[in-house]
Amino acid sequence: MTEDLMWDSVEDIAIRLHEEHPDLDPLTVRFTDMHTWIVAWPEFKDDPKGSNEKKLEAIQMAWHEEYQDS
């Protein structure tokens, strides 16, 4: 993945999280851990402080869909 990721790139972030953690149930992941993983990616170009519970929950739910589909 070479495109820049922003907090609103929910589906792309979810896919990336699933690729990196395929056996991890997203519903067991703390938002603080998920946030740390996302902002550490070189493709992530948004403000790390720009997330909120609503955005992180949307990412978690999209990741959960990826997890269930696999």
Side-chain angles (χ1 to χ4, degrees):
M1 182 178 300
T2 58
E3 72 180 61
D4 291 347
L5 294 173
M6 309 294 275
W7 286 120
D8 293 333
S9 308
V10 173
E11 293 298 322
D12 292 332
I13 291 173
I15 291 168
R16 172 83 178 262
L17 286 166
H18 181 64
E19 288 172 350
E20 291 190 1
H21 308 281
D23 298 323
L24 185 58
D25 181 348
L27 299 182
T28 66
V29 177
R30 295 181 305 172
F31 285 167
T32 53
D33 292 335
M34 190 168 56
H35 181 279
T36 299
W37 297 338
I38 294 167
V39 300
W41 296 333
E43 301 86 4
F44 185 77
K45 303 297 184 193
D46 211 343
D47 180 359
K49 296 178 183 175
S51 71
N52 57 39
E53 187 172 347
K54 183 178 178 180
K55 290 179 183 183
L56 291 170
E57 183 176 14
I59 292 167
Q60 185 183 45
M61 290 299 100
W63 179 13
H64 185 65
E65 286 182 32
E66 293 292 322
Y67 175 75
Q68 288 184 310
D69 289 346
S70 66

